[in-house]
Short mmCIF file of all heavy atoms in Angstrom, two decimals:
data_model
loop_
_atom_site.label_atom_id
_atom_site.label_comp_id
_atom_site.label_asym_id
_atom_site.label_seq_id
_atom_site.Cartn_x
_atom_site.Cartn_y
_atom_site.Cartn_z
N THR A 18 42.65 -47.60 -11.96
CA THR A 18 43.61 -48.48 -12.55
C THR A 18 43.60 -48.40 -14.11
O THR A 18 43.95 -49.33 -14.79
CB THR A 18 43.45 -49.93 -12.03
OG1 THR A 18 44.50 -50.76 -12.59
CG2 THR A 18 42.10 -50.50 -12.32
N ARG A 21 46.91 -49.24 -15.56
CA ARG A 21 47.40 -50.63 -15.38
C ARG A 21 46.39 -51.61 -16.00
O ARG A 21 46.58 -52.09 -17.10
CB ARG A 21 47.64 -50.89 -13.86
CG ARG A 21 48.51 -52.11 -13.64
CD ARG A 21 47.80 -53.44 -13.71
NE ARG A 21 46.78 -53.58 -12.64
CZ ARG A 21 45.91 -54.59 -12.65
NH1 ARG A 21 45.94 -55.48 -13.61
NH2 ARG A 21 45.01 -54.64 -11.69
N ASP A 22 45.27 -51.88 -15.29
CA ASP A 22 44.26 -52.84 -15.89
C ASP A 22 43.69 -52.23 -17.14
O ASP A 22 43.41 -52.96 -18.10
CB ASP A 22 43.13 -53.09 -14.85
CG ASP A 22 42.73 -54.54 -14.83
OD1 ASP A 22 42.87 -55.22 -15.85
OD2 ASP A 22 42.22 -55.02 -13.78
N GLN A 25 45.69 -52.84 -20.12
CA GLN A 25 45.63 -54.23 -20.55
C GLN A 25 44.53 -54.52 -21.57
O GLN A 25 44.39 -55.58 -22.11
CB GLN A 25 45.49 -55.18 -19.32
CG GLN A 25 46.74 -55.22 -18.45
CD GLN A 25 46.57 -56.04 -17.17
OE1 GLN A 25 47.13 -55.71 -16.16
NE2 GLN A 25 45.80 -57.10 -17.20
N GLU A 52 46.79 -46.45 -9.73
CA GLU A 52 47.61 -47.64 -9.98
C GLU A 52 48.36 -47.31 -11.35
O GLU A 52 47.74 -47.37 -12.42
CB GLU A 52 46.83 -48.89 -10.11
CG GLU A 52 47.71 -50.11 -10.22
CD GLU A 52 47.04 -51.43 -9.88
OE1 GLU A 52 46.06 -51.78 -10.53
OE2 GLU A 52 47.47 -52.07 -8.92
N LEU A 81 51.80 -52.45 -9.17
CA LEU A 81 51.35 -53.80 -8.97
C LEU A 81 52.52 -54.80 -9.02
O LEU A 81 53.49 -54.58 -9.72
CB LEU A 81 50.38 -54.18 -10.13
CG LEU A 81 49.69 -55.54 -10.03
CD1 LEU A 81 48.72 -55.61 -8.95
CD2 LEU A 81 48.99 -55.90 -11.37
N HIS A 105 50.97 -52.97 -4.40
CA HIS A 105 49.78 -53.80 -4.50
C HIS A 105 50.17 -55.18 -5.03
O HIS A 105 50.60 -55.33 -6.14
CB HIS A 105 48.80 -53.16 -5.49
CG HIS A 105 47.58 -53.96 -5.77
ND1 HIS A 105 46.75 -53.72 -6.85
CD2 HIS A 105 47.03 -55.05 -5.18
CE1 HIS A 105 45.76 -54.59 -6.88
NE2 HIS A 105 45.93 -55.43 -5.88
N PHE A 107 49.47 -59.43 -5.46
CA PHE A 107 48.31 -60.33 -5.65
C PHE A 107 48.72 -61.79 -5.92
O PHE A 107 49.86 -62.02 -6.46
CB PHE A 107 47.43 -59.84 -6.80
CG PHE A 107 48.05 -60.02 -8.17
CD1 PHE A 107 47.69 -61.10 -8.95
CD2 PHE A 107 49.02 -59.17 -8.67
CE1 PHE A 107 48.23 -61.31 -10.24
CE2 PHE A 107 49.59 -59.37 -9.92
CZ PHE A 107 49.20 -60.37 -10.71
N GLU A 145 48.72 -53.27 -0.26
CA GLU A 145 47.44 -53.82 -0.59
C GLU A 145 47.60 -55.27 -1.07
O GLU A 145 48.55 -55.59 -1.80
CB GLU A 145 46.80 -52.99 -1.75
CG GLU A 145 45.51 -53.61 -2.32
CD GLU A 145 44.73 -52.70 -3.24
OE1 GLU A 145 44.97 -51.46 -3.21
OE2 GLU A 145 43.92 -53.21 -4.04
N SER A 147 45.57 -58.62 -2.90
CA SER A 147 44.41 -59.10 -3.68
C SER A 147 44.46 -60.62 -3.83
O SER A 147 45.50 -61.12 -4.27
CB SER A 147 44.36 -58.52 -5.08
OG SER A 147 44.16 -57.17 -5.04
N GLY A 148 43.43 -61.33 -3.43
CA GLY A 148 43.30 -62.73 -3.77
C GLY A 148 42.63 -62.82 -5.14
O GLY A 148 41.40 -62.73 -5.25
N GLU A 149 43.47 -62.96 -6.18
CA GLU A 149 42.92 -62.96 -7.54
C GLU A 149 41.84 -64.06 -7.64
O GLU A 149 41.99 -65.13 -7.09
CB GLU A 149 44.04 -63.22 -8.53
CG GLU A 149 43.66 -62.96 -10.01
CD GLU A 149 44.71 -63.47 -10.99
OE1 GLU A 149 45.65 -64.16 -10.56
OE2 GLU A 149 44.57 -63.11 -12.18
N ASP A 150 40.80 -63.72 -8.43
CA ASP A 150 39.64 -64.67 -8.61
C ASP A 150 38.97 -65.02 -7.31
O ASP A 150 38.45 -66.11 -7.10
CB ASP A 150 40.18 -65.95 -9.30
CG ASP A 150 39.01 -66.67 -10.08
OD1 ASP A 150 38.01 -66.06 -10.38
OD2 ASP A 150 39.19 -67.88 -10.36
N SER A 151 38.92 -63.97 -6.44
CA SER A 151 38.28 -64.20 -5.09
C SER A 151 36.83 -64.72 -5.24
O SER A 151 36.39 -65.57 -4.49
CB SER A 151 38.24 -62.91 -4.33
OG SER A 151 39.43 -62.64 -3.63
N ASN A 175 41.87 -56.37 -1.08
CA ASN A 175 41.00 -56.24 -2.29
C ASN A 175 40.40 -57.59 -2.65
O ASN A 175 41.08 -58.63 -2.59
CB ASN A 175 41.89 -55.74 -3.45
CG ASN A 175 41.12 -55.51 -4.73
OD1 ASN A 175 40.00 -55.08 -4.70
ND2 ASN A 175 41.76 -55.79 -5.84
N PRO A 177 38.90 -59.23 -5.62
CA PRO A 177 38.54 -59.06 -7.00
C PRO A 177 37.54 -60.05 -7.61
O PRO A 177 37.58 -61.22 -7.28
CB PRO A 177 39.89 -59.22 -7.69
CG PRO A 177 40.91 -59.40 -6.69
CD PRO A 177 40.23 -59.76 -5.41
N ASP A 178 36.73 -59.48 -8.44
CA ASP A 178 35.87 -60.38 -9.30
C ASP A 178 36.53 -60.40 -10.69
O ASP A 178 36.14 -59.78 -11.60
CB ASP A 178 34.47 -59.81 -9.42
CG ASP A 178 33.53 -60.66 -10.24
OD1 ASP A 178 33.68 -61.89 -10.18
OD2 ASP A 178 32.57 -60.11 -10.84
N THR A 179 37.63 -61.15 -10.70
CA THR A 179 38.56 -61.12 -11.82
C THR A 179 37.92 -61.45 -13.16
O THR A 179 38.36 -60.90 -14.19
CB THR A 179 39.69 -62.14 -11.51
OG1 THR A 179 40.21 -61.76 -10.22
CG2 THR A 179 40.77 -62.21 -12.60
N VAL A 180 36.95 -62.36 -13.17
CA VAL A 180 36.38 -62.78 -14.45
C VAL A 180 34.94 -62.26 -14.61
O VAL A 180 34.22 -62.81 -15.50
CB VAL A 180 36.49 -64.29 -14.65
CG1 VAL A 180 37.93 -64.68 -14.85
CG2 VAL A 180 35.88 -65.05 -13.50
N HIS A 210 37.07 -54.81 -6.84
CA HIS A 210 37.63 -54.71 -8.17
C HIS A 210 36.83 -55.59 -9.09
O HIS A 210 36.92 -56.85 -8.95
CB HIS A 210 39.13 -55.14 -8.08
CG HIS A 210 39.86 -55.17 -9.34
ND1 HIS A 210 40.92 -54.35 -9.63
CD2 HIS A 210 39.73 -55.98 -10.47
CE1 HIS A 210 41.41 -54.64 -10.86
NE2 HIS A 210 40.66 -55.61 -11.38
N CYS A 211 36.04 -55.03 -10.00
CA CYS A 211 35.13 -55.88 -10.79
C CYS A 211 35.42 -55.74 -12.28
O CYS A 211 35.79 -54.68 -12.78
CB CYS A 211 33.73 -55.45 -10.51
SG CYS A 211 33.18 -55.71 -8.83
N HIS A 212 35.19 -56.85 -12.92
CA HIS A 212 35.22 -56.86 -14.42
C HIS A 212 33.83 -57.00 -14.95
O HIS A 212 32.92 -57.46 -14.29
CB HIS A 212 36.18 -57.95 -14.89
CG HIS A 212 37.64 -57.50 -14.76
ND1 HIS A 212 38.35 -56.88 -15.75
CD2 HIS A 212 38.47 -57.56 -13.72
CE1 HIS A 212 39.55 -56.57 -15.33
NE2 HIS A 212 39.68 -56.94 -14.05
N GLU A 234 37.82 -50.01 -7.20
CA GLU A 234 38.88 -49.97 -8.24
C GLU A 234 38.17 -49.85 -9.56
O GLU A 234 37.33 -50.67 -9.92
CB GLU A 234 39.71 -51.29 -8.15
CG GLU A 234 40.32 -51.37 -6.70
CD GLU A 234 41.58 -52.23 -6.67
OE1 GLU A 234 41.97 -52.90 -7.63
OE2 GLU A 234 42.13 -52.28 -5.51
N GLU A 242 40.72 -55.32 -19.26
CA GLU A 242 40.76 -56.64 -19.79
C GLU A 242 39.39 -57.07 -20.29
O GLU A 242 38.40 -56.84 -19.64
CB GLU A 242 41.17 -57.64 -18.67
CG GLU A 242 42.66 -57.62 -18.33
CD GLU A 242 43.46 -58.58 -19.25
OE1 GLU A 242 42.88 -59.24 -20.12
OE2 GLU A 242 44.68 -58.63 -19.05
N ARG A 243 39.36 -57.74 -21.44
CA ARG A 243 38.14 -58.30 -22.02
C ARG A 243 36.99 -57.24 -22.14
O ARG A 243 37.18 -56.26 -22.81
CB ARG A 243 37.68 -59.54 -21.28
CG ARG A 243 38.78 -60.63 -21.11
CD ARG A 243 38.24 -61.82 -20.38
NE ARG A 243 37.60 -61.48 -19.14
CZ ARG A 243 38.21 -61.20 -17.96
NH1 ARG A 243 39.54 -61.33 -17.94
NH2 ARG A 243 37.55 -60.82 -16.91
N ASN A 246 36.71 -52.98 -17.06
CA ASN A 246 36.56 -52.85 -15.58
C ASN A 246 35.37 -52.01 -15.27
O ASN A 246 34.74 -51.41 -16.17
CB ASN A 246 37.80 -52.17 -14.99
CG ASN A 246 39.06 -53.03 -14.98
OD1 ASN A 246 39.49 -53.48 -16.06
ND2 ASN A 246 39.65 -53.28 -13.84
O1 LIG B 1 41.23 -58.63 -12.03
C1 LIG B 1 42.07 -58.90 -11.18
O2 LIG B 1 41.98 -59.82 -10.39
C2 LIG B 1 43.22 -57.99 -11.13
C3 LIG B 1 44.14 -58.16 -9.91
C4 LIG B 1 45.56 -57.97 -10.24
C5 LIG B 1 43.66 -57.23 -8.78
O3 LIG B 1 43.40 -57.10 -11.91
#
Side-chain angles (χ1 to χ4, degrees):
T18 183
R21 199 278 296 169
D22 220 334
Q25 289 174 216
E52 186 162 60
L81 185 69
H105 174 195
F107 72 100
E145 172 169 341
S147 295
E149 191 190 11
D150 204 19
S151 275
N175 183 37
D178 183 29
T179 304
V180 290
H210 175 116
C211 298
H212 282 268
E234 303 202 356
E242 283 274 359
R243 306 181 308 280
N246 288 60

